Amino acid sequence: MDALVLLGSFVLLMAIGMPIAYCLGLASLIGAFWIDIPLDAVMIQLASGVNKFSLLAIPFFVLAGAIMAEGGMSRRLVAFAGVLVGFIRGGLSLVNILASTFFGAISGSSVADTASIGSVLIPEMERKGYPRSFATAVTVSGSVQAILIPPSHNAVLYSLAAGGSISIASLFVAGIVPGLLMGLTLAVLCLIIAKRENYPKGEVIPLRQALKICADAMWGLMTMVIILGGILSGVFTANESASIAVVWAFFVTMFIYRDYRWRDLPKLVHRTVKTVTIVMILIGFAACFGYLMTLMQIPLKVTAFLTGLSDNKYVILALINVLLIILGTLMDMSPLILILTPILLPVVKLLGIDPVHFGMIMMVNLGIGLITPPVGTVLFVGSAVAKLPIGVVTRACAPFFAALFLVLLAVTYVPALSLWLPRLLGL
């Protein structure tokens, strides 16, 4: 009955349209009253939930990504990707996927990826003879890579939701191979569609111009080197790499590229602060919700229920995948990570599944949810950029959903994809 009161009040509040963060907070208060827990204890959990040093990485990574997104980085990354793959048949779709790979390794955000890459490439692909719906589908599906490729904000949230017991560096490195596999799978699909539909080839860029484009893009790509190189070499932590990335992004944008105006900088910082504030409120209320779930022994009950269905870990993983896919279509990614990790992690640990591996499974599942109606944030952004109805974009995404599900199966049932590189590096 306790669990029904907590979870039922959360679902009811969400059903009437209340923001997820407030649903978590009010449901926690209702649950505390129900089991007669002092409100002081709930408030302590709220404060301790956001009073974590590791959370500093989130605002710094968000700010670095925002500076690079609005400072001309996306345009230069598109040009750089065009040098590498633009001359192939259907090359602009490959440029889109590759630019999303590069930009995801800088911003860590699928929404920022879709907005920046899409605003450049969707009109260009349409001008070159690609259907606008196809161009939008490529953009939104390619942006899911940003969920996996470091620096992923959601990897930081997963580490936090797991109680800080999982290294952020391990999660960052674990996402590299699955992220690249996702990009490769989408690229192969684009090549097949391009050949079938006879989409145009791009032009080979002259050597002198290509060298200039590459040199121009390298300044921005150094952000990726700073973030990953610093963490993997042990020179600095994830928090330190994020703060250094902000300094580097600011330097490149304002003094090298000089496409961004100084007077617009306060507005950018204001938008970043608003984004981070929303995330921090969500984290604080999720900490309260998780505390109540622990007191009510909900994780133990879920573990007993799932292990009672089967003792085969592959069957349990299939059930968890179905659950995550369904919930991912109904809720945004961040609250789901904060709510479900404390519930599902004990289950997978009992079955002998590595928590880092499970983190990648969760990321891929919920990343697919970002481009799936009815609550697909990235899908909405892509539709808005392309000025197309949601239904049109969703239909165009059908083959890309199939490709992403293949990647999900590979990541779920081939743990080495996630664990090989962290173990190789001793993380």
Side-chain angles (χ1 to χ4, degrees), residues 159-245:
S159 174
L160 170 72
S165 59
I166 304 172
S167 157
I168 294 175
S170 298
L171 292 169
F172 277 4
V173 174
I176 294 175
V177 174
L180 295 177
L181 174 64
M182 182 178 290
L184 179 62
T185 304
L186 292 173
V188 170
L189 175 62
C190 286
L191 286 174
I192 294 171
I193 295 174
K195 184 175 181 179
R196 186 188 67 195
E197 302 294 335
N198 197 31
Y199 288 147
K201 289 184 177 181
E203 299 176 356
V204 177
I205 298 174
L207 180 60
R208 179 175 294 182
Q209 185 182 352
L211 291 174
K212 184 178 183 301
I213 289 171
C214 293
D216 204 24
M218 286 303 156
W219 288 100
L221 291 175
M222 277 299 296
T223 311
M224 178 173 57
V225 176
I226 290 169
I227 293 169
L228 277 181
I231 294 174
L232 298 183
S233 65
V235 173
F236 37 71
T237 64
N239 288 349
E240 292 164 347
S241 71
S243 57
I244 293 170

Side-chain angles (χ1 to χ4, degrees), residues 57-343:
I58 294 178
F60 284 125
F61 279 135
V62 170
L63 181 56
I67 292 172
M68 299 306 284
E70 298 191 24
M73 186 63 227
S74 56
R75 177 169 51 81
R76 289 171 172 85
L77 286 177
V78 167
F80 178 61
V83 171
L84 300 178
V85 295
F87 56 89
I88 303 170
R89 181 171 299 283
L92 268 183
S93 60
L94 300 186
V95 169
N96 198 321
I97 299 294
L98 188 57
S100 290
T101 306
F102 291 143
F103 194 77
I106 293 171
S107 71
S109 167
S110 292
V111 172
D113 192 328
T114 299
S116 56
I117 300 296
S119 62
V120 176
L121 272 177
I122 291 175
E124 180 65 14
M125 289 180 71
E126 186 179 23
R127 191 174 68 83
K128 294 290 186 180
Y130 296 80
R132 188 188 298 187
S133 57
F134 173 77
T136 310
V138 173
T139 303
V140 298
S141 58
S143 70
V144 178
Q145 296 173 87
I147 300 300
L148 296 167
I149 297 173
S152 169
H153 313 152
N154 294 289
V156 179
L157 290 180
Y158 175 73
S159 174
L160 170 72
S165 59
I166 304 172
S167 157
I168 294 175
S170 298
L171 292 169
F172 277 4
V173 174
I176 294 175
V177 174
L180 295 177
L181 174 64
M182 182 178 290
L184 179 62
T185 304
L186 292 173
V188 170
L189 175 62
C190 286
L191 286 174
I192 294 171
I193 295 174
K195 184 175 181 179
R196 186 188 67 195
E197 302 294 335
N198 197 31
Y199 288 147
K201 289 184 177 181
E203 299 176 356
V204 177
I205 298 174
L207 180 60
R208 179 175 294 182
Q209 185 182 352
L211 291 174
K212 184 178 183 301
I213 289 171
C214 293
D216 204 24
M218 286 303 156
W219 288 100
L221 291 175
M222 277 299 296
T223 311
M224 178 173 57
V225 176
I226 290 169
I227 293 169
L228 277 181
I231 294 174
L232 298 183
S233 65
V235 173
F236 37 71
T237 64
N239 288 349
E240 292 164 347
S241 71
S243 57
I244 293 170
V246 169
V247 175
W248 177 257
F250 178 80
F251 170 73
V252 171
T253 298
M254 306 308 294
F255 296 101
I256 303 296
Y257 292 158
R258 291 183 291 184
D259 287 350
Y260 201 71
R261 295 175 297 185
W262 285 88
R263 66 173 177 268
D264 292 333
L265 197 58
K267 296 178 183 177
L268 184 147
V269 174
H270 180 255
R271 288 194 297 272
T272 302
V273 170
K274 284 179 64 177
T275 301
V276 172
T277 301
I278 293 169
V279 173
M280 291 303 176
I281 291 172
L282 178 61
I283 290 171
F285 285 140
C288 300
F289 195 79
Y291 172 66
L292 268 296
M293 285 196 300
T294 302
L295 291 179
M296 295 175 180
Q297 298 185 328
I298 292 176
L300 290 176
K301 293 173 183 176
V302 171
T303 300
F305 173 73
L306 288 175
T307 53
L309 293 176
S310 174
D311 59 357
N312 186 317
K313 69 178 182 180
Y314 300 109
V315 174
I316 298 297
L317 282 175
L319 293 173
I320 289 174
N321 276 339
V322 172
L323 173 67
L324 290 174
I325 286 291
I326 293 172
L327 291 178
T329 66
L330 301 174
M331 287 177 63
D332 204 9
M333 185 171 190
S334 297
L336 279 175
I337 290 174
L338 294 168
I339 295 168
L340 294 178
T341 300
I343 296 175

